[in-house]
Amino acid sequence: MASSSSSSSTQVKKITLKAADGKHFEVEEPVAMEMETVKSFFVGNEDAMKDMVVPLLNVSSEHMPAILDFYRNHSEFRKRTPPPPAEEVKAFNEAFLENKSDEQLMEMIMAANFLNTKELLNFLTEAAANRIKNKSVEYVRAFFGIENDFTPEEEARIRAENEWAFDGLDED
Amino acid sequence: MSSIHLPIEVLYNILGRLPVKGLIRFTCVCKPWRDFITNPDFISTHLNLHRNIDGYVLHHKMASTGAGLNCCSCLHDKTYIEYSRFDIPFLYFQLAGSVNGLLCLSDSYQYFGRTIYLWNPSIWKL
């Protein structure tokens, strides 16, 4: 795929991605290729299939704009010389997570996992870990939609054995 | 939130980033989490991810004569916040060595023979 864009290319090639609900997204090739799932779609048929629409069965269109925004910005950060100041990257990342509910964050993690896109997945799972690390067990169950399958006695025993781990938590 | 099926690699990615205190607490979220967190593969992955992040200082507090036990604390080397603590059942001890965050303490008072304790400060267990 690198050969097609080696000469003075003024126009960036676009790839069309189709979200689970059928909505289409036109994406610049380098951005789309950050996603291993998209990349592997073209392996072995590089140029012939560039006009095809790539179906992303597990990604809802709700999160596509944010995911693409993340990669457009981060690939721009990587290309820039000198590299952008750490505060600028941090500010972008913080703004990216702002106003995202726990549910939206988890849905995006599932999307990033399906798209097999390491940078975004690492960033989002770090955010999820930060949201739960000082929280109670009840909060975490609600966060992930997990049902407690311990009996009250079993749970009480684990808590009693590790009392120190339940001190000094943030409020839910 | 509705229940979502978390793929194992996602769980690895999230829980692997948590400090040990959080992990110990979350062993009582549900049985699959308990089994996941206490699995040796996960434990060694976690250890490798968090190696050499922080330094710690050991502080040995002698009990006043006859009353109570000696106490040994593990403090964070920059903030001096107590991170772990245990009561030593003997008067004098020496640090025999440490590896992978485990401390080996031995009774150094010769008349009492050789007692050895293995202490894992991060889970508060002897």
Side-chain angles (χ1 to χ4, degrees), chain B residues 5-125:
Chain B
H5 173 69
L6 276 181
I8 201 96
E9 59 274 21
V10 170
L11 203 53
Y12 241 95
N13 224 320
I14 297 176
L15 297 188
R17 297 169 193 277
L18 292 177
V20 175
K21 186 177 174 185
L23 289 175
I24 297 289
R25 189 167 66 250
F26 299 153
T27 52
C28 74
V29 165
C30 62
K31 288 176 183 170
W33 274 43
R34 176 198 59 192
D35 298 344
F36 184 86
I37 291 168
T38 54
N39 181 300
D41 286 338
F42 176 73
I43 294 173
S44 66
T45 307
H46 188 269
L47 178 66
N48 285 322
L49 283 171
H50 295 259
R51 204 176 272 284
N52 299 332
I53 296 179
D54 298 305
Y56 294 96
V57 178
L58 272 186
H59 175 237
H60 178 208
K61 209 160 49 190
M62 298 284 277
S64 47
T65 30
L69 294 161
N70 288 320
C71 178
C72 190
S73 298
C74 195
L75 312 172
H76 200 268
D77 71 343
K78 291 183 191 76
T79 57
Y80 295 108
I81 290 172
E82 186 179 71
Y83 158 78
S84 184
R85 171 179 7 108
F86 93 99
D87 295 328
I88 321 167
F90 34 79
L91 254 184
Y92 303 102
F93 77 96
Q94 60 184 13
L95 183 61
S98 99
V99 61
N100 287 347
L102 289 179
L103 300 175
C104 177
L105 308 175
S106 80
D107 181 356
S108 67
Y109 198 61
Q110 51 186 344
Y111 302 112
F112 282 81
R114 297 216 164 269
T115 317
I116 286 177
Y117 281 85
L118 275 183
W119 181 27
N120 185 344
S122 63
I123 57 170
W124 291 51
K125 282 200 172 131

Side-chain angles (χ1 to χ4, degrees), chain A residues 59-124:
Chain A
V59 184
S60 96
S61 63
E62 182 194 342
H63 301 299
M64 278 303 283
I67 292 172
L68 297 175
D69 187 45
F70 180 90
Y71 271 109
R72 284 188 183 123
N73 279 277
H74 275 262
S75 62
E76 192 269 323
F77 290 153
R78 272 197 299 273
K79 271 186 274 179
R80 210 187 307 166
T81 36
E87 301 86 65
E88 188 184 335
V89 179
K90 199 173 160 229
F92 171 82
N93 287 345
E94 277 170 9
F96 185 85
L97 291 171
E98 216 178 32
N99 306 325
K100 295 255 181 335
S101 68
D102 291 345
E103 185 160 10
Q104 286 171 321
L105 177 62
M106 284 313 295
E107 284 168 4
M108 289 185 70
I109 287 176
M110 301 299 278
N113 186 54
F114 171 78
L115 293 169
N116 195 1
T117 167
K118 279 261 160 358
E119 191 179 4
L120 180 62
L121 186 63
N122 286 342
F123 170 67
L124 295 173

